């Protein structure tokens, strides 16, 4: 599977464009610069990288761009493609697969054998699961699960990954019997 090339970032790239191509950018900006993680440091999707940097202590735009791109490469190491996940499932009968979506989404369509990630399940995992065994997390399109897998890695799970593209990509590339869906956000 080839990785599509990402569009280059420039000072005039909007945050909406950044987040579309680099889904972990908000996490990366918050982790290093405390930007975008709460209401006091929020940004507008129409704001450009140059504007964002100017109003945040005149950060160096090229440094911020490099950080977003480096963080994206780090995110890539936390992901598993749908086809590699299918192979891992076939070769690892006791593979733990966690669904980080809502209960409603999980009940509507799920990867067979996966467990809905609840606070109780997370506590069980952190207390009793083998932290050296593979565990795969997934969501709808692969963006929220990046945060969840980073949390697992931060708690010592050395082989935790998340499904690239989420259940949506899995249903297109591996198991076409799984129905696809869209989330409609009410305005």
């Amino acid at each position: 599977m080839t990785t599509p090339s990402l569009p280059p970032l420039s000072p005039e790239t909007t945050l909406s464009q950044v987040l579309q191509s680099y889904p972990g950018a908000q996490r990366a900006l918050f982790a290093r610069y405390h930007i975008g993680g709460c209401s006091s440091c929020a940004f507008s999707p129409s704001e450009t990288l140059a504007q964002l940097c100017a109003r945040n202590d005149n950060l160096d735009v090229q440094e911020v761009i490099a950080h977003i791109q480096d963080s994206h490469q780090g995110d890539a190491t936390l992901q598993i493609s749908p086809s590699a996940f299918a192979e891992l499932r076939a070769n690892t009968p006791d593979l733990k697969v966690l669904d980080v979506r809502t209960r409603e989404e999980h009940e509507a369509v799920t990867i067979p054998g996966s467990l809905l990630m609840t606070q109780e399940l997370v506590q069980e995992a952190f207390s009793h699961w083998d932290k050296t065994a593979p565990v795969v997390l997934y969501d709808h399109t692969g963006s929220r699960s990046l945060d969840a897998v980073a949390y697992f890695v931060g708690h010592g799970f050395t082989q935790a990954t998340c499904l690239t593209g989420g259940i949506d990509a899995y249903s297109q590339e591996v198991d076409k019997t799984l129905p696809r869906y869209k989330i409609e956000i009410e305005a």
Side-chain angles (χ1 to χ4, degrees):
M1 179 175 161
T2 61
T3 304
S5 66
L6 294 167
L9 298 177
S10 76
E12 299 313 309
T13 305
T14 66
L15 273 296
S16 175
Q17 294 167 321
V18 170
L19 293 174
Q20 186 173 15
S21 299
Y22 299 82
Q26 186 166 350
R27 183 177 58 256
L29 288 170
F30 185 74
R32 177 168 288 177
Y33 305 108
H34 194 85
I35 296 172
C38 57
S39 60
S40 66
C41 64
F43 54 77
S44 165
S46 61
E47 190 172 18
T48 66
L49 285 170
Q51 292 167 329
L52 179 80
C53 290
R55 72 173 180 81
N56 283 282
D57 299 324
N58 286 315
L59 292 170
D60 181 287
V61 178
Q62 294 306 318
E63 175 191 315
V64 170
I65 288 172
H67 177 64
I68 290 169
Q69 292 169 330
D70 290 347
S71 295
H72 182 77
Q73 292 301 318
D75 286 349
T77 66
L78 297 176
Q79 298 182 49
I80 186 169
S81 71
S83 59
F85 169 59
E87 185 177 328
L88 180 63
R89 283 184 76 199
N91 295 327
T92 313
D94 58 346
L95 178 67
K96 304 282 192 202
V97 181
L98 302 180
D99 183 347
V100 304
R101 298 172 304 149
T102 66
R103 181 171 304 283
E104 293 78 16
E105 288 176 284
H106 180 78
E107 289 173 356
V109 61
T110 188
I111 294 174
S114 66
L115 304 168
L116 178 63
M117 192 168 87
T118 62
Q119 189 60 39
E120 294 79 19
L121 184 63
V122 170
Q123 292 306 314
E124 177 189 326
F126 288 179
S127 298
H128 302 291
W129 290 6
D130 178 358
K131 292 185 178 183
T132 63
V135 59
V136 178
L137 291 79
Y138 74 92
D139 63 10
H140 183 215
T141 60
S143 57
R144 287 182 311 201
S145 57
L146 273 170
D147 290 335
V149 79
Y151 186 69
F152 270 68
V153 169
H155 282 83
F157 284 82
T158 59
Q159 292 193 59
T161 56
C162 64
L163 183 59
T164 305
I167 193 171
D168 195 54
Y170 183 80
S171 68
Q172 292 176 76
E173 298 174 30
V174 176
D175 186 351
K176 294 182 187 313
T177 66
L178 292 178
R180 294 181 66 209
Y181 65 96
K182 289 187 179 195
I183 301 287
E184 302 219 5
I185 299 174
E186 295 183 54

